[in-house]
Amino acid sequence: MDKDYLFTRVGYVYIPTSNIDASIEWYCSNLEFKLINKFEDRGSCIAVLHHPGKYSIAVLLIETEDQGRLQISRNGQPFPVMAINCPNIEYTHEYMMKNGVDVEELHTLGAGEAKYFYFRDNEGNLLEAAWSKYDLEEDMKEEFIRHTNH
């Protein structure tokens, strides 16, 4: 490396949960995350979840006694705390609806160059599924390829 960089990418997304085991199950069964590790830190559990993308960041579920969902407000409206890229967003939207996930309608931006929908996890945290023709194609982690049922 010729240069010392301050940062190279976003490292993690932190999502609160009041029931870590239920949230691990929800993220693994509905979003195809894989549990990498679960441990105690500062009095509560943390779960490290990975996605199939070779260079995707980890999601850390943080168990907390604090109540309330995580979301951002944008112009007075709820806005998601995390967007997850979908190579086939129509398939993802249909799959999640069939699995009973609280999903909103699929929106198309511009002349079809981007699509998204919002959804809530088992704790009510607002998340976004997103697709854009500008997204880079992702290589998949070997351990996800070997265990895929699709």
Side-chain angles (χ1 to χ4, degrees), residues 32-34 50-52 141-148:
E32 295 182 326
F33 277 91
K34 183 176 183 180
H50 278 196
H51 236 174
K141 295 173 186 161
E142 193 64 36
E143 63 269 23
F144 280 86
I145 295 170
R146 282 184 263 129
H147 295 93
T148 302

Side-chain angles (χ1 to χ4, degrees), residues 52-105:
K54 191 171 187 177
Y55 302 106
S56 62
I57 64 171
V59 168
L60 279 77
L61 297 173
I62 310 297
E63 193 168 46
T64 180
E65 295 175 3
D66 299 326
Q67 295 300 311
R69 60 177 75 147
L70 184 60
Q71 67 186 27
I72 299 166
S73 179
R74 178 182 180 194
N75 300 323
Q77 298 296 314
F79 196 75
V81 296
M82 174 175 67
I84 306 171
N85 291 99
C86 305
N88 182 341
I89 197 161
E90 289 84 3
Y91 167 77
T92 302
H93 188 259
E94 184 179 324
Y95 176 88
M96 293 176 75
M97 283 181 31
K98 285 181 179 178
N99 281 329
V101 176
D102 181 14
V103 299
E104 295 183 6
E105 66 184 83

Side-chain angles (χ1 to χ4, degrees), residues 1 13-14 18 24 30 43 66 69 92 98 104 112 136-137:
M1 191 184 286
V13 173
Y14 300 105
S18 62
I24 290 168
N30 291 299
D66 299 326
R69 60 177 75 147
T92 302
K98 285 181 179 178
E104 295 183 6
L136 299 174
E137 191 170 315

